[in-house]
């Protein structure tokens, strides 16, 4: 090999190239980890009603570690998404020293029993809210199904100016509604939308004209529905006795 100038030249060029690459790699590492490239600006976008400035400042102060190049975006995103009302976060570096943070908050649709909230995507999250929200109760894993059911029932009931305040879904997928915290409506399993639609259609000429509060309606009948009045069916008034005949 030592008597082959062409091979020696090739080996020499290869070693020089490797040395240059190692030098560039080392220089790149120095630049990437250099404090000369800090993240100086944090721009937060999004309509924020529940996430506070103090919460964001805490994340920025305690979770944003590294320079513009070494900042771990996945770890930073997870830190923001741990805030109770944050649903989703998108991060983007902006040269030379800015981090853009786009935050989407949860929009509360209903309460999930007494243990959490449901958003408009049918996703469960844990946060505190003083809003007057309907309560949904159902089997574990039925959150999306119940959110969709609630929206459908709510929209149907707008026609009669009633709204569901509590909804139950049994393990057998039978529905029950409470309207305006007063009237219980038993819908059952089969064709819940069609059953409620018939009830809504009949409501103005039936329940709406009964001059007594109604406590319970059962829609599980093929050709109508049953109504229960508070205290049961009123006892009919006795017929007046005929006056005795005089002679």
């Amino acid at each position: 090999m030592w008597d082959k100038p062409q091979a020696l030249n090739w080996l020499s060029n290869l070693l020089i190239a490797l040395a240059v690459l190692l030098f560039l790699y080392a220089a790149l590492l120095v630049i990437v980890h250099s404090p000369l490239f800090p993240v100086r600006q944090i721009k937060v976008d999004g309509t924020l009603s529940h996430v506070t400035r103090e919460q964001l400042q805490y994340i920025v102060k305690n979770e944003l570690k590294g320079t513009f190049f070494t900042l771990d975006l996945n770890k930073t995103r997870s830190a923001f998404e741990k805030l109770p009302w944050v649903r989703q976060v998108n991060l983007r570096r902006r040269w030379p020293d800015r981090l853009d943070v786009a935050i989407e908050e949860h929009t509360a649709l209903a309460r999930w029993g007494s243990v959490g909230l449901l958003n408009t995507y049918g996703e469960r999250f844990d946060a505190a809210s003083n809003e007057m929200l309907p309560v949904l109760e159902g089997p574990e894993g039925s959150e999306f199904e119940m959110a969709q059911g609630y929206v459908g029932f709510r929209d149907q009931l707008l026609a009669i100016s009633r709204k569901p305040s509590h909804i139950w879904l049994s393990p057998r997928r039978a529905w029950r509604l409470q309207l305006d915290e007063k009237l219980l409506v038993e819908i059952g399993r089969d064709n819940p939308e069609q059953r409620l639609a018939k009830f809504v259609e009949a409501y103005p000429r039936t329940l709406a004209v009964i001059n007594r509060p109604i406590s319970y309606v059962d829609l599980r009948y093929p050709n109508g529905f049953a109504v229960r009045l508070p205290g049961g069916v009123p006892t009919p008034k006795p017929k007046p006795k005929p006056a005795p005949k005089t002679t």
Side-chain angles (χ1 to χ4, degrees), residues 135-137 146 153 164-170 173-179 183-189 192 196 215-220 228:
V135 180
L136 311 185
E137 294 188 58
M146 292 206 70
F153 297 147
S165 56
H166 205 137
I167 299 180
W168 295 267
L169 180 65
S170 76
R173 291 323 194 245
W175 294 89
R176 171 186 279 192
L177 313 182
Q178 185 178 45
L179 307 186
L183 175 63
L184 277 178
V185 180
E186 199 78 59
I187 298 180
R189 298 179 55 188
L196 190 62
S215 64
Y216 180 83
V217 175
D218 192 342
L219 308 184
R220 297 172 297 175
R228 182 190 302 162

PDB file of all heavy atoms in Angstrom, residues 135-137 146 153 164-170 173-179 183-189 192 196 215-220 228:
ATOM      1  N   VAL A 135     -76.285  16.773  33.973  1.00  0.00           N
ATOM      2  CA  VAL A 135     -75.526  15.661  34.539  1.00  0.00           C
ATOM      3  C   VAL A 135     -75.789  14.414  33.703  1.00  0.00           C
ATOM      4  O   VAL A 135     -76.950  14.071  33.443  1.00  0.00           O
ATOM      5  CB  VAL A 135     -75.909  15.408  36.006  1.00  0.00           C
ATOM      6  CG1 VAL A 135     -75.111  14.238  36.575  1.00  0.00           C
ATOM      7  CG2 VAL A 135     -75.682  16.664  36.841  1.00  0.00           C
ATOM      8  N   LEU A 136     -74.725  13.744  33.290  1.00  0.00           N
ATOM      9  CA  LEU A 136     -74.837  12.497  32.539  1.00  0.00           C
ATOM     10  C   LEU A 136     -74.255  11.362  33.377  1.00  0.00           C
ATOM     11  O   LEU A 136     -73.185  11.509  33.957  1.00  0.00           O
ATOM     12  CB  LEU A 136     -74.085  12.577  31.205  1.00  0.00           C
ATOM     13  CG  LEU A 136     -74.341  13.797  30.314  1.00  0.00           C
ATOM     14  CD1 LEU A 136     -73.615  13.637  28.985  1.00  0.00           C
ATOM     15  CD2 LEU A 136     -75.824  14.022  30.086  1.00  0.00           C
ATOM     16  N   GLU A 137     -74.969  10.247  33.429  1.00  0.00           N
ATOM     17  CA  GLU A 137     -74.493   9.082  34.165  1.00  0.00           C
ATOM     18  C   GLU A 137     -74.673   7.841  33.293  1.00  0.00           C
ATOM     19  O   GLU A 137     -75.771   7.587  32.789  1.00  0.00           O
ATOM     20  CB  GLU A 137     -75.266   8.908  35.473  1.00  0.00           C
ATOM     21  CG  GLU A 137     -75.031  10.021  36.483  1.00  0.00           C
ATOM     22  CD  GLU A 137     -75.669   9.712  37.825  1.00  0.00           C
ATOM     23  OE1 GLU A 137     -75.318   8.663  38.405  1.00  0.00           O
ATOM     24  OE2 GLU A 137     -76.522  10.503  38.278  1.00  0.00           O
ATOM     25  N   MET A 146     -72.900   9.102  25.257  1.00  0.00           N
ATOM     26  CA  MET A 146     -73.835   9.905  26.033  1.00  0.00           C
ATOM     27  C   MET A 146     -73.783  11.375  25.635  1.00  0.00           C
ATOM     28  O   MET A 146     -74.812  12.064  25.637  1.00  0.00           O
ATOM     29  CB  MET A 146     -73.551   9.749  27.526  1.00  0.00           C
ATOM     30  CG  MET A 146     -73.863   8.379  28.066  1.00  0.00           C
ATOM     31  SD  MET A 146     -74.234   8.421  29.834  1.00  0.00           S
ATOM     32  CE  MET A 146     -75.805   9.260  29.869  1.00  0.00           C
ATOM     33  N   PHE A 153     -80.963  14.788  22.059  1.00  0.00           N
ATOM     34  CA  PHE A 153     -82.167  15.001  22.854  1.00  0.00           C
ATOM     35  C   PHE A 153     -82.410  16.494  23.105  1.00  0.00           C
ATOM     36  O   PHE A 153     -83.540  16.980  23.022  1.00  0.00           O
ATOM     37  CB  PHE A 153     -82.060  14.267  24.190  1.00  0.00           C
ATOM     38  CG  PHE A 153     -81.955  12.770  24.067  1.00  0.00           C
ATOM     39  CD1 PHE A 153     -81.212  12.020  24.965  1.00  0.00           C
ATOM     40  CD2 PHE A 153     -82.611  12.095  23.038  1.00  0.00           C
ATOM     41  CE1 PHE A 153     -81.118  10.649  24.851  1.00  0.00           C
ATOM     42  CE2 PHE A 153     -82.526  10.717  22.923  1.00  0.00           C
ATOM     43  CZ  PHE A 153     -81.780   9.989  23.819  1.00  0.00           C
ATOM     44  N   PRO A 164     -83.070  18.768  28.813  1.00  0.00           N
ATOM     45  CA  PRO A 164     -82.665  17.710  29.737  1.00  0.00           C
ATOM     46  C   PRO A 164     -81.687  18.242  30.781  1.00  0.00           C
ATOM     47  O   PRO A 164     -80.705  18.901  30.453  1.00  0.00           O
ATOM     48  CB  PRO A 164     -81.980  16.685  28.822  1.00  0.00           C
ATOM     49  CG  PRO A 164     -81.547  17.466  27.630  1.00  0.00           C
ATOM     50  CD  PRO A 164     -82.500  18.607  27.472  1.00  0.00           C
ATOM     51  N   SER A 165     -81.970  17.971  32.043  1.00  0.00           N
ATOM     52  CA  SER A 165     -81.077  18.383  33.120  1.00  0.00           C
ATOM     53  C   SER A 165     -80.293  17.200  33.684  1.00  0.00           C
ATOM     54  O   SER A 165     -79.265  17.394  34.343  1.00  0.00           O
ATOM     55  CB  SER A 165     -81.867  19.049  34.247  1.00  0.00           C
ATOM     56  OG  SER A 165     -82.884  18.183  34.727  1.00  0.00           O
ATOM     57  N   HIS A 166     -80.767  15.981  33.425  1.00  0.00           N
ATOM     58  CA  HIS A 166     -80.090  14.771  33.914  1.00  0.00           C
ATOM     59  C   HIS A 166     -80.406  13.649  32.934  1.00  0.00           C
ATOM     60  O   HIS A 166     -81.566  13.480  32.523  1.00  0.00           O
ATOM     61  CB  HIS A 166     -80.587  14.416  35.313  1.00  0.00           C
ATOM     62  CG  HIS A 166     -79.610  13.619  36.110  1.00  0.00           C
ATOM     63  ND1 HIS A 166     -79.335  13.866  37.438  1.00  0.00           N
ATOM     64  CD2 HIS A 166     -78.822  12.561  35.777  1.00  0.00           C
ATOM     65  CE1 HIS A 166     -78.441  13.014  37.892  1.00  0.00           C
ATOM     66  NE2 HIS A 166     -78.120  12.204  36.898  1.00  0.00           N
ATOM     67  N   ILE A 167     -79.394  12.893  32.552  1.00  0.00           N
ATOM     68  CA  ILE A 167     -79.585  11.782  31.619  1.00  0.00           C
ATOM     69  C   ILE A 167     -78.897  10.542  32.182  1.00  0.00           C
ATOM     70  O   ILE A 167     -77.757  10.618  32.654  1.00  0.00           O
ATOM     71  CB  ILE A 167     -79.017  12.105  30.221  1.00  0.00           C
ATOM     72  CG1 ILE A 167     -79.732  13.329  29.624  1.00  0.00           C
ATOM     73  CG2 ILE A 167     -79.137  10.911  29.290  1.00  0.00           C
ATOM     74  CD1 ILE A 167     -79.227  13.697  28.240  1.00  0.00           C
ATOM     75  N   TRP A 168     -79.601   9.435  32.126  1.00  0.00           N
ATOM     76  CA  TRP A 168     -79.035   8.148  32.553  1.00  0.00           C
ATOM     77  C   TRP A 168     -79.004   7.200  31.360  1.00  0.00           C
ATOM     78  O   TRP A 168     -79.918   7.199  30.526  1.00  0.00           O
ATOM     79  CB  TRP A 168     -79.881   7.509  33.642  1.00  0.00           C
ATOM     80  CG  TRP A 168     -79.928   8.247  34.942  1.00  0.00           C
ATOM     81  CD1 TRP A 168     -79.129   8.069  36.034  1.00  0.00           C
ATOM     82  CD2 TRP A 168     -80.869   9.274  35.302  1.00  0.00           C
ATOM     83  NE1 TRP A 168     -79.503   8.921  37.053  1.00  0.00           N
ATOM     84  CE2 TRP A 168     -80.569   9.681  36.634  1.00  0.00           C
ATOM     85  CE3 TRP A 168     -81.925   9.915  34.644  1.00  0.00           C
ATOM     86  CZ2 TRP A 168     -81.283  10.667  37.302  1.00  0.00           C
ATOM     87  CZ3 TRP A 168     -82.639  10.911  35.298  1.00  0.00           C
ATOM     88  CH2 TRP A 168     -82.308  11.271  36.617  1.00  0.00           C
ATOM     89  N   LEU A 169     -77.971   6.390  31.300  1.00  0.00           N
ATOM     90  CA  LEU A 169     -77.874   5.312  30.323  1.00  0.00           C
ATOM     91  C   LEU A 169     -77.525   4.048  31.084  1.00  0.00           C
ATOM     92  O   LEU A 169     -76.486   3.972  31.751  1.00  0.00           O
ATOM     93  CB  LEU A 169     -76.803   5.616  29.271  1.00  0.00           C
ATOM     94  CG  LEU A 169     -76.607   4.547  28.185  1.00  0.00           C
ATOM     95  CD1 LEU A 169     -77.866   4.429  27.315  1.00  0.00           C
ATOM     96  CD2 LEU A 169     -75.398   4.871  27.311  1.00  0.00           C
ATOM     97  N   SER A 170     -78.385   3.047  31.015  1.00  0.00           N
ATOM     98  CA  SER A 170     -78.164   1.812  31.763  1.00  0.00           C
ATOM     99  C   SER A 170     -77.143   0.937  31.038  1.00  0.00           C
ATOM    100  O   SER A 170     -76.844   1.156  29.859  1.00  0.00           O
ATOM    101  CB  SER A 170     -79.483   1.052  31.907  1.00  0.00           C
ATOM    102  OG  SER A 170     -79.819   0.411  30.683  1.00  0.00           O
ATOM    103  N   ARG A 173     -78.153  -0.112  27.753  1.00  0.00           N
ATOM    104  CA  ARG A 173     -78.326   0.992  26.807  1.00  0.00           C
ATOM    105  C   ARG A 173     -79.769   1.479  26.749  1.00  0.00           C
ATOM    106  O   ARG A 173     -80.293   1.817  25.688  1.00  0.00           O
ATOM    107  CB  ARG A 173     -77.859   0.604  25.398  1.00  0.00           C
ATOM    108  CG  ARG A 173     -76.327   0.410  25.224  1.00  0.00           C
ATOM    109  CD  ARG A 173     -75.550   1.373  26.033  1.00  0.00           C
ATOM    110  NE  ARG A 173     -74.146   1.491  25.700  1.00  0.00           N
ATOM    111  CZ  ARG A 173     -73.148   1.142  26.506  1.00  0.00           C
ATOM    112  NH1 ARG A 173     -73.412   0.579  27.680  1.00  0.00           N
ATOM    113  NH2 ARG A 173     -71.913   1.349  26.175  1.00  0.00           N
ATOM    114  N   ALA A 174     -80.419   1.525  27.907  1.00  0.00           N
ATOM    115  CA  ALA A 174     -81.747   2.115  28.018  1.00  0.00           C
ATOM    116  C   ALA A 174     -81.592   3.553  28.526  1.00  0.00           C
ATOM    117  O   ALA A 174     -80.867   3.802  29.488  1.00  0.00           O
ATOM    118  CB  ALA A 174     -82.626   1.303  28.961  1.00  0.00           C
ATOM    119  N   TRP A 175     -82.310   4.467  27.884  1.00  0.00           N
ATOM    120  CA  TRP A 175     -82.186   5.891  28.204  1.00  0.00           C
ATOM    121  C   TRP A 175     -83.304   6.367  29.124  1.00  0.00           C
ATOM    122  O   TRP A 175     -84.449   5.925  29.015  1.00  0.00           O
ATOM    123  CB  TRP A 175     -82.228   6.728  26.929  1.00  0.00           C
ATOM    124  CG  TRP A 175     -81.072   6.530  26.007  1.00  0.00           C
ATOM    125  CD1 TRP A 175     -80.978   5.607  25.005  1.00  0.00           C
ATOM    126  CD2 TRP A 175     -79.846   7.269  25.995  1.00  0.00           C
ATOM    127  NE1 TRP A 175     -79.775   5.727  24.359  1.00  0.00           N
ATOM    128  CE2 TRP A 175     -79.051   6.746  24.943  1.00  0.00           C
ATOM    129  CE3 TRP A 175     -79.349   8.318  26.754  1.00  0.00           C
ATOM    130  CZ2 TRP A 175     -77.784   7.242  24.639  1.00  0.00           C
ATOM    131  CZ3 TRP A 175     -78.090   8.819  26.451  1.00  0.00           C
ATOM    132  CH2 TRP A 175     -77.318   8.285  25.412  1.00  0.00           C
ATOM    133  N   ARG A 176     -82.943   7.276  30.019  1.00  0.00           N
ATOM    134  CA  ARG A 176     -83.922   7.962  30.866  1.00  0.00           C
ATOM    135  C   ARG A 176     -83.483   9.418  30.988  1.00  0.00           C
ATOM    136  O   ARG A 176     -82.311   9.717  31.179  1.00  0.00           O
ATOM    137  CB  ARG A 176     -83.990   7.319  32.246  1.00  0.00           C
ATOM    138  CG  ARG A 176     -84.825   8.118  33.247  1.00  0.00           C
ATOM    139  CD  ARG A 176     -84.752   7.548  34.645  1.00  0.00           C
ATOM    140  NE  ARG A 176     -85.648   6.428  34.817  1.00  0.00           N
ATOM    141  CZ  ARG A 176     -85.952   5.900  36.002  1.00  0.00           C
ATOM    142  NH1 ARG A 176     -85.404   6.381  37.109  1.00  0.00           N
ATOM    143  NH2 ARG A 176     -86.782   4.888  36.093  1.00  0.00           N
ATOM    144  N   LEU A 177     -84.457  10.327  30.862  1.00  0.00           N
ATOM    145  CA  LEU A 177     -84.179  11.754  30.943  1.00  0.00           C
ATOM    146  C   LEU A 177     -84.934  12.384  32.095  1.00  0.00           C
ATOM    147  O   LEU A 177     -86.030  11.937  32.452  1.00  0.00           O
ATOM    148  CB  LEU A 177     -84.605  12.482  29.656  1.00  0.00           C
ATOM    149  CG  LEU A 177     -84.218  11.911  28.295  1.00  0.00           C
ATOM    150  CD1 LEU A 177     -84.712  12.841  27.195  1.00  0.00           C
ATOM    151  CD2 LEU A 177     -82.726  11.731  28.197  1.00  0.00           C
ATOM    152  N   GLN A 178     -84.339  13.426  32.637  1.00  0.00           N
ATOM    153  CA  GLN A 178     -85.063  14.313  33.541  1.00  0.00           C
ATOM    154  C   GLN A 178     -85.085  15.686  32.891  1.00  0.00           C
ATOM    155  O   GLN A 178     -84.032  16.231  32.539  1.00  0.00           O
ATOM    156  CB  GLN A 178     -84.396  14.397  34.910  1.00  0.00           C
ATOM    157  CG  GLN A 178     -85.198  15.214  35.922  1.00  0.00           C
ATOM    158  CD  GLN A 178     -84.535  15.247  37.286  1.00  0.00           C
ATOM    159  OE1 GLN A 178     -83.334  15.450  37.392  1.00  0.00           O
ATOM    160  NE2 GLN A 178     -85.313  15.030  38.323  1.00  0.00           N
ATOM    161  N   LEU A 179     -86.275  16.242  32.720  1.00  0.00           N
ATOM    162  CA  LEU A 179     -86.418  17.525  32.050  1.00  0.00           C
ATOM    163  C   LEU A 179     -86.608  18.633  33.073  1.00  0.00           C
ATOM    164  O   LEU A 179     -87.484  18.550  33.945  1.00  0.00           O
ATOM    165  CB  LEU A 179     -87.612  17.499  31.088  1.00  0.00           C
ATOM    166  CG  LEU A 179     -87.642  16.357  30.052  1.00  0.00           C
ATOM    167  CD1 LEU A 179     -88.796  16.561  29.083  1.00  0.00           C
ATOM    168  CD2 LEU A 179     -86.321  16.254  29.321  1.00  0.00           C
ATOM    169  N   LEU A 183     -89.482  16.601  35.388  1.00  0.00           N
ATOM    170  CA  LEU A 183     -90.205  15.532  34.708  1.00  0.00           C
ATOM    171  C   LEU A 183     -89.250  14.411  34.294  1.00  0.00           C
ATOM    172  O   LEU A 183     -88.289  14.634  33.576  1.00  0.00           O
ATOM    173  CB  LEU A 183     -90.908  16.098  33.469  1.00  0.00           C
ATOM    174  CG  LEU A 183     -91.615  15.091  32.561  1.00  0.00           C
ATOM    175  CD1 LEU A 183     -92.741  14.391  33.302  1.00  0.00           C
ATOM    176  CD2 LEU A 183     -92.128  15.793  31.309  1.00  0.00           C
ATOM    177  N   LEU A 184     -89.540  13.184  34.750  1.00  0.00           N
ATOM    178  CA  LEU A 184     -88.780  12.009  34.337  1.00  0.00           C
ATOM    179  C   LEU A 184     -89.409  11.418  33.079  1.00  0.00           C
ATOM    180  O   LEU A 184     -90.623  11.191  33.029  1.00  0.00           O
ATOM    181  CB  LEU A 184     -88.777  10.959  35.447  1.00  0.00           C
ATOM    182  CG  LEU A 184     -87.736  11.129  36.563  1.00  0.00           C
ATOM    183  CD1 LEU A 184     -87.915  10.036  37.609  1.00  0.00           C
ATOM    184  CD2 LEU A 184     -86.326  11.099  36.004  1.00  0.00           C
ATOM    185  N   VAL A 185     -88.577  11.158  32.082  1.00  0.00           N
ATOM    186  CA  VAL A 185     -89.041  10.595  30.820  1.00  0.00           C
ATOM    187  C   VAL A 185     -88.305   9.289  30.584  1.00  0.00           C
ATOM    188  O   VAL A 185     -87.086   9.271  30.414  1.00  0.00           O
ATOM    189  CB  VAL A 185     -88.798  11.564  29.646  1.00  0.00           C
ATOM    190  CG1 VAL A 185     -89.288  10.942  28.344  1.00  0.00           C
ATOM    191  CG2 VAL A 185     -89.493  12.896  29.899  1.00  0.00           C
ATOM    192  N   GLU A 186     -89.039   8.193  30.598  1.00  0.00           N
ATOM    193  CA  GLU A 186     -88.473   6.866  30.356  1.00  0.00           C
ATOM    194  C   GLU A 186     -88.524   6.604  28.864  1.00  0.00           C
ATOM    195  O   GLU A 186     -89.605   6.533  28.268  1.00  0.00           O
ATOM    196  CB  GLU A 186     -89.275   5.814  31.100  1.00  0.00           C
ATOM    197  CG  GLU A 186     -88.561   4.509  31.311  1.00  0.00           C
ATOM    198  CD  GLU A 186     -87.557   4.579  32.461  1.00  0.00           C
ATOM    199  OE1 GLU A 186     -87.971   4.871  33.591  1.00  0.00           O
ATOM    200  OE2 GLU A 186     -86.363   4.337  32.197  1.00  0.00           O
ATOM    201  N   ILE A 187     -87.339   6.457  28.221  1.00  0.00           N
ATOM    202  CA  ILE A 187     -87.292   6.264  26.777  1.00  0.00           C
ATOM    203  C   ILE A 187     -87.036   4.810  26.414  1.00  0.00           C
ATOM    204  O   ILE A 187     -87.610   4.287  25.467  1.00  0.00           O
ATOM    205  CB  ILE A 187     -86.216   7.169  26.141  1.00  0.00           C
ATOM    206  CG1 ILE A 187     -86.563   8.647  26.375  1.00  0.00           C
ATOM    207  CG2 ILE A 187     -86.092   6.901  24.653  1.00  0.00           C
ATOM    208  CD1 ILE A 187     -85.557   9.607  25.796  1.00  0.00           C
ATOM    209  N   GLY A 188     -86.162   4.154  27.128  1.00  0.00           N
ATOM    210  CA  GLY A 188     -85.861   2.757  26.834  1.00  0.00           C
ATOM    211  C   GLY A 188     -84.722   2.615  25.833  1.00  0.00           C
ATOM    212  O   GLY A 188     -83.989   3.559  25.540  1.00  0.00           O
ATOM    213  N   ARG A 189     -84.601   1.413  25.273  1.00  0.00           N
ATOM    214  CA  ARG A 189     -83.461   1.077  24.413  1.00  0.00           C
ATOM    215  C   ARG A 189     -83.713   1.341  22.941  1.00  0.00           C
ATOM    216  O   ARG A 189     -82.845   1.817  22.228  1.00  0.00           O
ATOM    217  CB  ARG A 189     -83.114  -0.412  24.558  1.00  0.00           C
ATOM    218  CG  ARG A 189     -82.687  -0.870  25.913  1.00  0.00           C
ATOM    219  CD  ARG A 189     -82.400  -2.365  25.898  1.00  0.00           C
ATOM    220  NE  ARG A 189     -81.417  -2.719  24.876  1.00  0.00           N
ATOM    221  CZ  ARG A 189     -81.097  -3.960  24.550  1.00  0.00           C
ATOM    222  NH1 ARG A 189     -81.706  -4.977  25.132  1.00  0.00           N
ATOM    223  NH2 ARG A 189     -80.184  -4.196  23.628  1.00  0.00           N
ATOM    224  N   PRO A 192     -84.568   5.470  20.407  1.00  0.00           N
ATOM    225  CA  PRO A 192     -84.819   6.557  21.350  1.00  0.00           C
ATOM    226  C   PRO A 192     -85.162   7.881  20.661  1.00  0.00           C
ATOM    227  O   PRO A 192     -86.027   8.622  21.156  1.00  0.00           O
ATOM    228  CB  PRO A 192     -83.520   6.655  22.141  1.00  0.00           C
ATOM    229  CG  PRO A 192     -82.479   6.010  21.285  1.00  0.00           C
ATOM    230  CD  PRO A 192     -83.188   4.947  20.530  1.00  0.00           C
ATOM    231  N   LEU A 196     -88.745   9.867  21.248  1.00  0.00           N
ATOM    232  CA  LEU A 196     -88.788  11.226  21.765  1.00  0.00           C
ATOM    233  C   LEU A 196     -89.429  12.166  20.750  1.00  0.00           C
ATOM    234  O   LEU A 196     -90.139  13.116  21.135  1.00  0.00           O
ATOM    235  CB  LEU A 196     -87.375  11.705  22.119  1.00  0.00           C
ATOM    236  CG  LEU A 196     -87.301  13.027  22.894  1.00  0.00           C
ATOM    237  CD1 LEU A 196     -88.011  12.911  24.244  1.00  0.00           C
ATOM    238  CD2 LEU A 196     -85.849  13.459  23.111  1.00  0.00           C
ATOM    239  N   SER A 215     -95.143  14.163  36.729  1.00  0.00           N
ATOM    240  CA  SER A 215     -93.894  13.710  37.333  1.00  0.00           C
ATOM    241  C   SER A 215     -93.170  12.654  36.521  1.00  0.00           C
ATOM    242  O   SER A 215     -91.949  12.497  36.644  1.00  0.00           O
ATOM    243  CB  SER A 215     -94.167  13.142  38.741  1.00  0.00           C
ATOM    244  OG  SER A 215     -94.996  11.993  38.655  1.00  0.00           O
ATOM    245  N   TYR A 216     -93.887  11.918  35.644  1.00  0.00           N
ATOM    246  CA  TYR A 216     -93.268  10.781  34.976  1.00  0.00           C
ATOM    247  C   TYR A 216     -94.007  10.479  33.682  1.00  0.00           C
ATOM    248  O   TYR A 216     -95.243  10.498  33.639  1.00  0.00           O
ATOM    249  CB  TYR A 216     -93.300   9.555  35.891  1.00  0.00           C
ATOM    250  CG  TYR A 216     -92.695   8.289  35.333  1.00  0.00           C
ATOM    251  CD1 TYR A 216     -91.323   8.061  35.386  1.00  0.00           C
ATOM    252  CD2 TYR A 216     -93.493   7.309  34.764  1.00  0.00           C
ATOM    253  CE1 TYR A 216     -90.761   6.890  34.887  1.00  0.00           C
ATOM    254  CE2 TYR A 216     -92.949   6.130  34.261  1.00  0.00           C
ATOM    255  CZ  TYR A 216     -91.579   5.930  34.331  1.00  0.00           C
ATOM    256  OH  TYR A 216     -91.030   4.768  33.836  1.00  0.00           O
ATOM    257  N   VAL A 217     -93.207  10.221  32.634  1.00  0.00           N
ATOM    258  CA  VAL A 217     -93.765   9.835  31.338  1.00  0.00           C
ATOM    259  C   VAL A 217     -92.996   8.614  30.850  1.00  0.00           C
ATOM    260  O   VAL A 217     -91.763   8.596  30.883  1.00  0.00           O
ATOM    261  CB  VAL A 217     -93.654  10.976  30.304  1.00  0.00           C
ATOM    262  CG1 VAL A 217     -94.122  10.499  28.941  1.00  0.00           C
ATOM    263  CG2 VAL A 217     -94.455  12.184  30.744  1.00  0.00           C
ATOM    264  N   ASP A 218     -93.709   7.606  30.394  1.00  0.00           N
ATOM    265  CA  ASP A 218     -93.103   6.378  29.885  1.00  0.00           C
ATOM    266  C   ASP A 218     -93.382   6.294  28.386  1.00  0.00           C
ATOM    267  O   ASP A 218     -94.537   6.175  27.961  1.00  0.00           O
ATOM    268  CB  ASP A 218     -93.688   5.164  30.612  1.00  0.00           C
ATOM    269  CG  ASP A 218     -92.891   3.884  30.346  1.00  0.00           C
ATOM    270  OD1 ASP A 218     -92.126   3.860  29.365  1.00  0.00           O
ATOM    271  OD2 ASP A 218     -93.026   2.927  31.132  1.00  0.00           O
ATOM    272  N   LEU A 219     -92.323   6.352  27.587  1.00  0.00           N
ATOM    273  CA  LEU A 219     -92.470   6.330  26.130  1.00  0.00           C
ATOM    274  C   LEU A 219     -92.305   4.933  25.543  1.00  0.00           C
ATOM    275  O   LEU A 219     -92.270   4.786  24.319  1.00  0.00           O
ATOM    276  CB  LEU A 219     -91.428   7.269  25.491  1.00  0.00           C
ATOM    277  CG  LEU A 219     -91.362   8.701  26.014  1.00  0.00           C
ATOM    278  CD1 LEU A 219     -90.350   9.507  25.203  1.00  0.00           C
ATOM    279  CD2 LEU A 219     -92.720   9.367  25.984  1.00  0.00           C
ATOM    280  N   ARG A 220     -92.211   3.915  26.377  1.00  0.00           N
ATOM    281  CA  ARG A 220     -91.928   2.561  25.891  1.00  0.00           C
ATOM    282  C   ARG A 220     -93.197   1.830  25.446  1.00  0.00           C
ATOM    283  O   ARG A 220     -93.383   0.656  25.719  1.00  0.00           O
ATOM    284  CB  ARG A 220     -91.205   1.768  26.974  1.00  0.00           C
ATOM    285  CG  ARG A 220     -89.840   2.337  27.338  1.00  0.00           C
ATOM    286  CD  ARG A 220     -89.235   1.642  28.536  1.00  0.00           C
ATOM    287  NE  ARG A 220     -90.052   1.832  29.734  1.00  0.00           N
ATOM    288  CZ  ARG A 220     -89.806   1.256  30.908  1.00  0.00           C
ATOM    289  NH1 ARG A 220     -88.766   0.436  31.026  1.00  0.00           N
ATOM    290  NH2 ARG A 220     -90.584   1.491  31.941  1.00  0.00           N
ATOM    291  N   ARG A 228     -97.799   9.727  34.544  1.00  0.00           N
ATOM    292  CA  ARG A 228     -98.067   9.586  35.968  1.00  0.00           C
ATOM    293  C   ARG A 228     -98.122  10.969  36.604  1.00  0.00           C
ATOM    294  O   ARG A 228     -97.204  11.769  36.455  1.00  0.00           O
ATOM    295  CB  ARG A 228     -96.983   8.762  36.649  1.00  0.00           C
ATOM    296  CG  ARG A 228     -97.234   8.536  38.155  1.00  0.00           C
ATOM    297  CD  ARG A 228     -96.008   7.930  38.818  1.00  0.00           C
ATOM    298  NE  ARG A 228     -95.652   6.664  38.186  1.00  0.00           N
ATOM    299  CZ  ARG A 228     -94.457   6.097  38.322  1.00  0.00           C
ATOM    300  NH1 ARG A 228     -93.502   6.694  39.021  1.00  0.00           N
ATOM    301  NH2 ARG A 228     -94.202   4.939  37.728  1.00  0.00           N
TER     302      ARG A 228
END
